[in-house]
Amino acid sequence: MSQELQDFQTNSSQNTGESVPPFQRSVYISTYGCQMNENDTERMYALMEMAGYAAVASPEQADVIIINSCSVREKPVHKVFSEVGTYRRLKERRPHLKIGVGGCVASLEKERLIEANSLIDFVFGTDQIDLVPSLVDRAFAKKGIVEARFHHREPYQIETLIRNPKVTAFVNITKGCDNFCTFCVVPYTRGREKSRLLREVVEDIQKLVNRGVREVTLLGQNVNSYRSPCGADFADLLQALAEQTDLVRIRYTTSHPKDFNEKLMQIMERYQQKICEYIHLPVQSGSDRILERMNRGYSRKDYIAKIKKIKEYLPQVVLSTDIIVGFPGEDESDFWQTVDLVLEVGFETIFAFKYSPRPFTKAARFDQQIPETIKDERLQRLFQEWEKWAFPFVKQRYQGQYVEVLVEEFDQKRGQWHGRSRQNKNVYFQADKTLTGQLVHVLVEEAFPSVLRGRWMERESKQHGVG
Ligand code: SAH
Ligand code: SF4
Ligand code: F3S
């Protein structure tokens, strides 16, 4: 790591911009989309602070506003333009204000954004995050800067930049995606898949641990296809992290059912003290006909068999999934097969979306597109059927049980401590002392699919050697 970066990481003072000195320029970033965009935003703030900017908490105070956009579902360009529109007044009052658009919409639309909206000064793609300070400099000198090409360099090199690491951190291990599911725009917004070197990931994470991080979530569009240029696969990476770092907990997302293999299950079982038994495994549909049209590379039977095997290795596992309803050609019987699969597997959390046609994707050109009203209605029915099962199930599973919680912070709004259980439930409880970063035991009094409320059992935490 460069000295500059090291000094920055030890000295950075999360400036929320309440009192920015008059000579210092400031930056505000609004973020849409997935955890990768969240990570990119934190990286941009860190780089901009290194370049002398102050991070501010509202656009009114900013000299530079960046919109980090997402284009995975409905009307993404419209969302960007409507946010840019809200800054018109600000720009009239402060003509030096620069507005930039980055992220996945920018990767797709490039100069079209500036052509369509004169308030936008610069546009940059998902591979230009590290260039942002210099792009901003250029934008102060000249309008119409556009940089949105993909870098095809291998390995993918990136050192995690976080201004003030908390108990948990997100670390990219791959970028891009080569799967080309027929509904998905991500391969066009993030480019081809590239992996980081195993050694670099391990060192990066140990440095975060040295700065107080206790849990990491490894990030990639399909972490299971991670392959370090040295030959190691994803299971090898998990093993290396479990053995060679002082992490307390390891998580990862997102998995792909076609690449989730038995070696990974074995490693999760062997290092279950550290690797959390929570798996997000997007199924998308329960119908073979639709899975085929989606180009997912597995059948309903394959998926269910894999889940069965996972449960054999990890009996306490909690599963969540993503589902798309109203994919072109989906009929009532396909839809019911999805509902049926959701109930058969027993997902404690589901993320379900209405199919939305995306530019460049094959499915956008498929016939038999489904009317919005039917998509709405199917989405509602899916949630209703799932809720009927999930609410009583989690009550029965968790109420009266102890869960191990890694405490993240005191939630001011709720007036309670907050952390997550190993199985990724948000847990809230009272305590009369500071517990940030500690592993504690909580006795669950009330359970919902993604939230548990309970009582901190100090004695039990000590007895079990946690906290
Ligand atoms: N790489 C991850 C996540 C991709 S995007 C994966 O493979 O699962 C997150 C979720 O958005 C997807 O799992 C899918 O359920 C949903 N999604 C993606 N494209 C969509 C589209 N065109 N319409 C509706 N939902 C979509
Ligand atoms: Fe999109 Fe499929 Fe890649 Fe996930 S695996 S990012 S859904 S193309
Ligand atoms: Fe959205 Fe891009 Fe993430 S399209 S979901 S921000 S990869």
Side-chain angles (χ1 to χ4, degrees):
M1 188 179 355
S2 71
Q3 190 55 46
E4 189 189 13
L5 190 53
Q6 221 154 23
D7 291 347
F8 167 76
Q9 294 199 332
T10 23
N11 297 332
S12 173
S13 61
Q14 191 161 33
N15 191 344
T16 49
E18 297 321 321
S19 56
V20 179
F23 52 86
Q24 193 179 17
R25 279 182 174 159
S26 57
V27 57
Y28 171 82
I29 307 177
S30 74
T31 312
Y32 298 81
C34 61
Q35 198 54 55
M36 278 178 206
N37 263 16
E38 301 274 345
N39 242 20
D40 287 347
T41 289
E42 173 56 28
R43 187 171 190 84
M44 285 190 265
Y45 271 130
L47 291 164
M48 289 297 280
E49 280 196 3
M50 285 165 77
Y53 285 77
V56 287
S58 78
E60 286 73 27
Q61 303 166 289
D63 302 299
V64 178
I65 296 175
I66 295 173
I67 299 170
N68 193 5
S69 62
C70 166
S71 73
V72 82
R73 282 177 292 272
E74 299 107 317
K75 302 197 179 99
V77 181
H78 176 82
K79 279 186 198 153
V80 169
F81 287 155
S82 82
E83 180 170 343
V84 170
T86 64
Y87 302 139
R88 183 178 298 279
R89 282 266 194 74
L90 278 181
K91 199 145 174 163
E92 281 164 6
R93 252 187 287 143
R94 314 169 68 197
H96 75 282
L97 170 67
K98 297 293 169 219
I99 299 178
V101 180
C104 288
V105 174
S107 271
L108 286 184
E109 300 294 328
K110 306 186 178 75
E111 52 285 331
R112 283 197 295 274
L113 288 175
I114 293 190
E115 285 158 15
N117 192 317
S118 62
L119 293 171
I120 300 173
D121 297 288
F122 63 103
V123 171
F124 58 96
T126 49
D127 267 357
Q128 276 73 38
I129 302 297
D130 286 5
L131 295 181
V132 164
S134 68
L135 292 175
V136 171
D137 276 353
R138 284 165 56 198
F140 274 109
K142 177 174 169 283
K143 204 180 153 53
I145 309 288
V146 178
E147 292 274 357
R149 263 165 308 185
F150 290 124
H151 292 313
H152 297 292
R153 280 190 296 268
E154 192 125 45
Y156 165 38
Q157 280 187 302
I158 184 170
E159 186 170 357
T160 306
L161 270 184
I162 304 177
R163 291 167 299 167
N164 291 288
K166 304 216 165 83
V167 175
T168 65
F170 290 85
V171 171
N172 293 26
I173 61 165
T174 64
K175 69 167 187 175
C177 183
D178 292 346
N179 283 316
F180 292 94
C181 302
T182 56
F183 52 81
C184 184
V185 77
V186 171
Y188 308 95
T189 66
R190 298 262 165 186
R192 295 290 58 75
E193 185 181 275
K194 300 271 180 285
S195 296
R196 296 177 68 187
L197 266 163
L198 177 138
R199 181 102 326 270
E200 289 182 7
V201 177
V202 173
E203 285 169 10
D204 194 18
I205 289 178
Q206 184 56 40
K207 280 184 203 158
L208 291 173
V209 172
N210 296 344
R211 296 172 71 205
V213 170
R214 307 205 77 200
E215 170 188 302
V216 293
T217 304
L218 308 173
L219 284 184
Q221 293 298 344
N222 172 6
V223 288
N224 312 125
S225 64
Y226 168 87
R227 184 154 289 266
S228 168
C230 72
D233 66 10
F234 183 59
D236 299 328
L237 175 64
L238 287 185
Q239 176 166 14
L241 289 170
E243 286 177 357
Q244 297 167 34
T245 68
D246 300 315
L247 279 171
V248 172
R249 281 182 174 183
I250 303 169
R251 299 183 189 277
Y252 58 85
T253 201
T254 299
S255 292
H256 195 302
K258 79 175 161 56
D259 299 316
F260 199 108
N261 59 23
E262 195 160 351
K263 178 176 172 190
L264 175 55
M265 300 175 205
Q266 286 161 352
I267 292 293
M268 288 185 74
E269 184 196 29
R270 185 163 349 139
Y271 296 96
Q272 55 187 290
Q273 277 232 304
K274 291 194 170 187
I275 307 172
C276 292
E277 61 275 28
Y278 164 77
I279 301 171
H280 181 62
L281 199 60
V283 68
Q284 313 297 359
S285 169
S287 152
D288 282 342
R289 211 168 59 82
I290 299 297
L291 287 171
E292 174 98 40
R293 280 164 68 93
M294 287 176 162
N295 188 32
R296 289 290 289 179
Y298 54 86
S299 65
R300 175 193 177 99
K301 203 162 137 239
D302 298 338
Y303 187 90
I304 290 175
K306 214 154 259 193
I307 296 287
K308 190 161 167 268
K309 195 130 250 137
I310 291 175
K311 287 181 177 172
E312 279 164 24
Y313 279 99
L314 306 163
Q316 296 304 317
V317 73
V318 165
L319 296 154
S320 67
T321 201
D322 289 348
I323 286 158
I324 296 178
V325 298
F327 186 79
E330 183 188 76
D331 62 20
E332 270 297 295
S333 138
D334 299 312
F335 169 70
W336 276 110
Q337 290 179 55
T338 301
V339 174
D340 186 67
L341 180 133
V342 165
L343 300 180
E344 179 173 345
V345 172
F347 296 109
E348 290 189 22
T349 308
I350 58 172
F351 300 90
F353 313 101
K354 290 186 286 177
Y355 169 71
S356 156
R358 304 269 33 98
F360 304 110
T361 60
K362 277 199 184 153
R365 296 190 301 274
F366 285 176
D367 51 9
Q368 297 178 281
Q369 298 282 334
I370 307 293
E372 270 319 286
T373 48
I374 296 187
K375 291 185 204 169
D376 281 331
E377 194 260 328
R378 285 189 186 156
L379 190 67
Q380 222 181 349
R381 261 193 292 157
L382 171 62
F383 277 122
Q384 275 168 0
E385 293 297 324
W386 171 77
E387 281 172 5
K388 267 196 271 174
W389 170 84
F391 279 76
F393 178 83
V394 295
K395 273 195 186 1
Q396 207 226 335
R397 179 167 182 180
Y398 297 101
Q399 275 177 203
Q401 303 292 321
Y402 287 93
V403 287
E404 184 204 86
V405 178
L406 177 61
V407 184
E408 294 178 24
E409 83 268 287
F410 184 73
D411 186 312
Q412 298 289 351
K413 255 202 250 146
R414 293 180 190 239
Q416 288 188 318
W417 286 91
H418 167 247
R420 273 171 309 142
S421 70
R422 291 177 54 87
Q423 295 149 327
N424 211 32
K425 307 278 187 214
N426 287 298
V427 184
Y428 294 92
F429 61 96
Q430 301 284 355
D432 50 12
K433 65 179 189 190
T434 298
L435 294 172
T436 311
Q438 294 198 34
L439 280 176
V440 301
H441 277 133
V442 172
L443 178 63
V444 178
E445 293 174 326
E446 223 185 344
F448 302 96
S450 53
V451 172
L452 306 175
R453 277 198 273 274
R455 219 166 350 124
W456 172 43
M457 306 304 279
E458 186 168 13
R459 213 151 40 93
E460 278 76 359
S461 297
K462 285 211 176 99
Q463 261 172 19
H464 292 87
V466 295

